[in-house]
Amino acid sequence: MSPQHALKIKIAPWALLDVSASWGMAFVVMKDAIERQSVNNFLFSRFLLAVLVMLALKPSVVKKFDRDLLTKASSAGIFLGLAYIFQTLGLARTGAAITGFVTGLYVVITPLLAYFFLKEKLNKLIWGCVFIATIGLGLLSIRGFSVGIGELLVLVS
């Protein structure tokens, strides 16, 4: 094993932990931000800033825009935009932990969707991982078993 490979193996768990912590903290930051401005204003400013940063980093990407790319990107963007709107509206109406829990379930639901819609076979390991991840997310996030409008909005997203 090369020293570079060994270093990657040692760093990978810490990188995953860092990404998870950052992702989870984002809901807390977003919750605070949407208490001071509307959901639509928050999302607009968030993504406008992202576009400006991306264009500043690589302005030549604009030259690659064509009708086909814009059509496909618009279609995907509509669905992604609706998902962000529903998720953020849900966050405004429920806690950051619950929003994180429901959003985290998307990772767990992905193999289940593959099983039901794509007819993929799931082995015992995957079923076990789905079960453990669901329990883990629940233990980290759930503080009761009520389902309100906020939770439903996040689930729709």
Side-chain angles (χ1 to χ4, degrees), residues 17-33:
L17 182 64
D18 185 49
V19 168
S20 298
S22 300
W23 176 79
M25 187 59 89
F27 287 109
V28 176
V29 172
M30 286 172 40
K31 179 80 172 168
D32 185 49

Side-chain angles (χ1 to χ4, degrees), residues 80-96:
L80 184 61
L82 287 171
Y84 272 109
I85 289 169
F86 279 112
Q87 182 185 51
T88 310
L89 285 170
L91 177 61
R93 290 161 177 79
T94 191

Side-chain angles (χ1 to χ4, degrees), residues 35-89:
E35 287 177 359
R36 288 184 262 157
Q37 60 182 330
S38 73
V39 167
N40 289 336
N41 284 343
F42 167 74
L43 290 173
F44 176 79
S45 57
R46 177 181 176 188
F47 289 106
L48 177 64
L49 179 62
V51 166
L52 294 175
V53 168
M54 287 191 297
L55 288 175
L57 292 174
K58 189 151 182 148
S60 62
V61 75
V62 175
K63 294 176 186 173
K64 297 180 181 182
F65 287 9
D66 61 11
R67 178 181 224 89
D68 185 50
L69 175 68
L70 291 174
T71 301
K72 290 176 181 176
S74 297
S75 299
I78 287 170
F79 287 106
L80 184 61
L82 287 171
Y84 272 109
I85 289 169
F86 279 112
Q87 182 185 51
T88 310
L89 285 170

Side-chain angles (χ1 to χ4, degrees), residues 75-145:
S75 299
I78 287 170
F79 287 106
L80 184 61
L82 287 171
Y84 272 109
I85 289 169
F86 279 112
Q87 182 185 51
T88 310
L89 285 170
L91 177 61
R93 290 161 177 79
T94 191
I98 296 298
T99 302
F101 171 74
V102 176
T103 303
L105 284 177
Y106 299 160
V107 175
V108 174
I109 290 172
T110 301
L112 300 178
L113 292 175
Y115 175 77
F116 288 112
F117 294 108
L118 302 176
K119 306 299 181 207
E120 281 193 27
K121 298 288 183 191
L122 302 183
N123 60 34
K124 289 179 184 178
L125 175 66
I126 294 174
W127 283 110
C129 291
V130 165
F131 178 75
I132 291 169
T134 303
I135 297 299
L137 282 167
L139 291 173
L140 289 172
S141 306
I142 293 181
R143 305 237 189 282
F145 290 102

